[in-house]
Amino acid sequence: MTKATYTSHDGNTVQIALEPGETVMEGAIRNGVPGIVGECGGVLSCATCHVIVDARDFDRLPAMTDLENEMLDGTAQDREECSRLSCQITAGDELHEIRVTTPEFQQ
């Protein structure tokens, strides 16, 4: 099981357990985590699941695809060095824990 910690832009924290194969976005939606909209349902077409991954976790993630990189250029709040789309981060054996912060705006 992957432990995901979501911190809002104003410091509120929610911690949940992600099922294997579940994305960080799906876990947030399933648990009502504020700050992640996931308007497109995770098909990489809206960028409303933008998160800033904790720098300690960022390098452990698989490289982003060109499409994810392009989508991050269209987020409501400017991307940061450790920005990712949470629909593209999947829980699994290699990801035991992840910490993300949600931006102030998604739309």
Side-chain angles (χ1 to χ4, degrees):
M1 224 28 77
T2 299
K3 180 174 75 171
T5 303
Y6 303 83
T7 302
S8 67
H9 71 281
D10 57 2
N12 293 316
T13 300
V14 176
Q15 195 172 73
I16 64 168
L18 299 175
E19 299 293 329
E22 184 174 38
T23 67
V24 171
M25 182 212 73
E26 291 168 333
I29 300 296
R30 178 174 54 84
N31 288 280
V33 174
I36 295 182
V37 178
E39 194 171 273
C40 74
V43 297
L44 198 58
S45 68
C46 72
T48 61
C49 65
H50 175 210
V51 294
I52 298 91
V53 177
D54 188 285
R56 295 170 289 182
D57 299 326
F58 188 79
D59 290 335
R60 295 186 300 115
L61 298 177
M64 74 175 70
T65 64
D66 290 341
L67 183 54
E68 179 182 2
N69 190 41
E70 187 177 313
M71 292 297 298
L72 282 166
D73 286 335
T75 57
Q77 185 168 318
D78 290 342
R79 73 188 291 173
E80 297 183 18
E81 185 176 330
C82 292
S83 286
R84 292 293 301 261
L85 296 180
S86 61
C87 68
Q88 299 301 297
I89 304 170
T90 304
D93 294 337
E94 68 286 344
L95 185 64
H96 301 289
E97 181 177 10
I98 186 160
R99 294 169 294 270
V100 301
T101 300
T102 57
E104 186 173 2
F105 305 104
Q106 287 285 13
Q107 298 177 320

